[in-house]
Amino acid sequence: MTGDVAIAQHIDTRVLTPAAPMQITVNPNVATTLLFPDSIGGAFGLGLVSAGAHENSQTAAQGSVALEHPEGSPLMVLHALAPGAKVVMTVLLDGKLYVFDVASGPEPDLAVTYVLTDPRVRRGEEVTEEDVRANRLRYDPELLVGYLRRATDAELMRKSSPELYSDYSVRQANYTSESDWAVTTVEKIHRFGGQDIIVLQGTVQNKLQKPLIFDGRSTTVQVVQEVHPAKLTDVMQPIPAGQTVPISVVLQGDWDGSRAHLSIENEFRIILPAPVTETPTRYQSQETGHGYPPKFRVPNPESEGKEVIPRTQTGP
């Protein structure tokens, strides 16, 4: 048996590439329809025969592929006049030339839609001022207190108000850091993805032989190798000598006000400032150059044989 027998027909979407010839497979038994993104200015190539012309025996002898194109439309129909037909076709579209290698084969293209860019590749989208405002983090002390309460009462409130926890995740932890005056331990980590809020719950132990007082506004949290400022620190003060009390710390966003997207799987370690008798506030320390910066001893995850985990997390 001779000639090409159509055993498969392809329906596809392809990207126009002006820098290289594009393949089209035709067949005597199939009409191949091409759809372009705009009206076609013209199609040229040795061996192309316009619609109806292949009925003329003299014209048909000179051509191998029939072409039909309604004037002013983006459609083109190709049809192989004989097995083994092969044509190099050039198409004028929107001021650019595109080259097609048209050849007869047993698996012809039935319908091909050509696009200018790959639809699978995400393109930039216009962002309005309203979109920016809607996605902007809301910084509000009342909001921080509200999320702290949500985290504290999560076990109870998730049952009665599940809509408040649509973006919520939580896990247990045991991350300790120690200075000459205090030991802090993170025992539970909560994350609210919508407002980019992390709530840490744990304890702080006073190592001094006197009550411990510190400026909660200066509390920071070490996340892997980064340090993030606490937006809210909730702890009883003064902490009695040698006593351990609960502490909660709320993080939101990054230093510059953008989203930090901190992963809940990170190691979070609470770093307390020096006692107020040594450094009343971090601002006074920065302005005068006096005072003692906190010297917390934090174990290195790699030295403990722990896997270094991603810092950021997107989604809930």
Side-chain angles (χ1 to χ4, degrees):
M1 181 172 61
T2 60
D4 294 333
V5 178
I7 62 174
Q9 300 175 1
H10 302 293
I11 301 175
D12 202 1
T13 298
R14 302 172 187 172
V15 180
L16 287 170
T17 55
M22 292 164 278
Q23 303 295 320
I24 299 176
T25 304
V26 295
N27 190 276
N29 302 316
V30 174
T32 300
T33 302
L34 309 180
L35 175 62
F36 291 87
D38 203 348
S39 58
I40 302 168
F44 318 93
L46 293 177
L48 284 178
V49 180
S50 60
H54 64 277
E55 297 177 358
N56 184 300
S57 59
Q58 182 179 359
T59 305
Q62 300 174 353
S64 58
V65 175
L67 179 150
E68 181 178 355
H69 164 54
E71 185 177 356
S73 79
L75 286 173
M76 177 186 294
V77 180
L78 300 176
H79 173 226
L81 298 178
K86 184 175 178 62
V87 169
V88 176
M89 177 179 68
T90 302
V91 175
L92 175 62
L93 177 69
D94 194 24
K96 294 183 180 180
L97 294 176
Y98 298 90
V99 178
F100 296 85
D101 188 357
V102 183
S104 180
E107 298 184 6
D109 296 312
L110 178 61
V112 180
T113 299
Y114 284 101
V115 294
L116 295 176
T117 57
D118 192 339
R120 296 170 297 179
V121 178
R122 185 177 179 181
R123 296 184 296 172
E125 299 178 358
E126 182 179 357
V127 179
T128 64
E129 182 178 349
E130 290 72 19
D131 294 332
V132 174
R133 291 181 181 274
N135 192 51
R136 183 178 298 166
L137 289 177
R138 176 188 167 199
Y139 294 100
D140 187 333
E142 293 184 3
L143 182 73
L144 299 177
V145 173
Y147 275 95
L148 174 58
R149 181 185 174 189
R150 289 191 200 183
T152 303
D153 301 334
E155 293 186 10
L156 177 62
M157 292 183 62
R158 287 181 76 177
K159 299 178 182 178
S160 59
S161 304
E163 68 279 0
L164 297 178
Y165 295 87
S166 60
D167 60 345
Y168 173 75
S169 55
V170 62
R171 76 176 180 92
Q172 299 293 326
N174 184 23
Y175 301 131
T176 299
S177 54
E178 183 177 358
S179 69
D180 293 335
W181 53 89
V183 178
T184 62
T185 302
V186 175
E187 299 176 342
K188 185 176 288 188
I189 306 171
H190 310 260
R191 184 175 190 269
F192 297 89
Q195 284 295 324
D196 198 33
I197 285 180
I198 294 285
V199 179
L200 306 177
Q201 290 182 301
T203 61
V204 53
Q205 176 189 0
N206 180 8
K207 295 175 59 178
L208 303 176
Q209 300 302 314
K210 59 182 179 180
L212 173 62
I213 303 176
F214 59 89
D215 184 0
R217 297 173 301 175
S218 302
T219 303
T220 57
V221 175
Q222 181 170 325
V223 186
V224 192
Q225 301 300 323
E226 297 183 353
V227 176
H228 290 257
K231 294 299 175 63
L232 176 65
T233 302
D234 182 26
V235 61
M236 181 195 77
Q237 293 197 64
I239 303 175
Q243 297 297 307
T244 300
V245 299
I247 185 173
S248 296
V249 174
V250 182
L251 304 176
Q252 185 184 28
D254 215 334
W255 286 91
D256 59 358
S258 62
R259 292 177 179 268
H261 294 297
L262 294 177
S263 170
I264 195 175
E265 300 300 327
N266 282 309
E267 292 189 6
F268 293 85
R269 301 181 186 273
I270 300 173
I271 309 298
L272 299 182
V276 294
T277 53
E278 300 178 24
T279 306
T281 67
R282 64 174 174 181
Y283 309 107
Q284 181 178 357
S285 175
Q286 291 172 351
E287 291 172 0
T288 63
H290 301 297
Y292 303 91
K295 298 179 181 179
F296 271 75
R297 294 179 288 277
V298 177
N300 188 327
E302 296 179 352
S303 64
E304 296 182 347
K306 297 181 179 179
E307 180 181 357
V308 178
I309 53 181
R311 182 185 68 85
T312 60
Q313 171 179 333
T314 57

